[in-house]
Amino acid sequence: MHKTNTPIDVRYQETDQMGVVYHANYLVWFEIGRTKYIESLGFTYTDMEKNNIVSPVTDAQVSFKKPVRYGEKAVVETWIEKYDGIRTVYGYHILKEDGDIAVSGTTTHVIVHKETFRPLPLRKAYPEWHQAYLRHVNGES
């Protein structure tokens, strides 16, 4: 399974009064990891957006296991959990410096036309992405 690892330096402004990363920031980190994952396959969201296509989140699941604190380093591990030609479910682990999983989760995405928000099948709109996603979901590289 193809995975990417994206390093994150925990910044002060990302923490709450308890000195740990505020929970909503993990979704931002998921997005950073997802963008790097897509780039590792040779694609960019920018290319989609040039065609007025965007990829909204339709579902997000997050499980908090251990706190991450200001000054620590973390890594966002990202992969494709599931893909059916229309919906893509990305999986994530936020790893602490010692390799322990601090946060795990998934986000589900579709692609839509920016003005109508009508879903489009990725397999038809972007066949290269579709083929790459199928290869990685099936464990091929």
Side-chain angles (χ1 to χ4, degrees), residues 13 18 21 34 48 68 72 75 85 95-96 102 113 119-120 131 139:
Q13 68 270 26
M18 295 178 284
V21 173
R34 184 175 63 257
M48 265 190 194
V68 180
E72 293 182 341
V75 170
L95 304 171
K96 293 177 67 74
H113 193 277
L120 302 167
Q131 290 302 320

Side-chain angles (χ1 to χ4, degrees), residues 125-139:
Y126 294 95
E128 326 74 50
W129 286 46
H130 171 70
Q131 290 302 320
Y133 279 21
L134 284 179
R135 279 194 308 275
H136 292 291
V137 165
N138 295 324

Side-chain angles (χ1 to χ4, degrees), residues 1 79-83 88-92 105-106 137:
M1 172 187 312
W79 65 93
I80 295 177
E81 183 82 20
K82 193 174 3 171
Y83 172 69
T88 306
V89 179
Y90 298 92
Y92 311 92
T106 60
V137 165

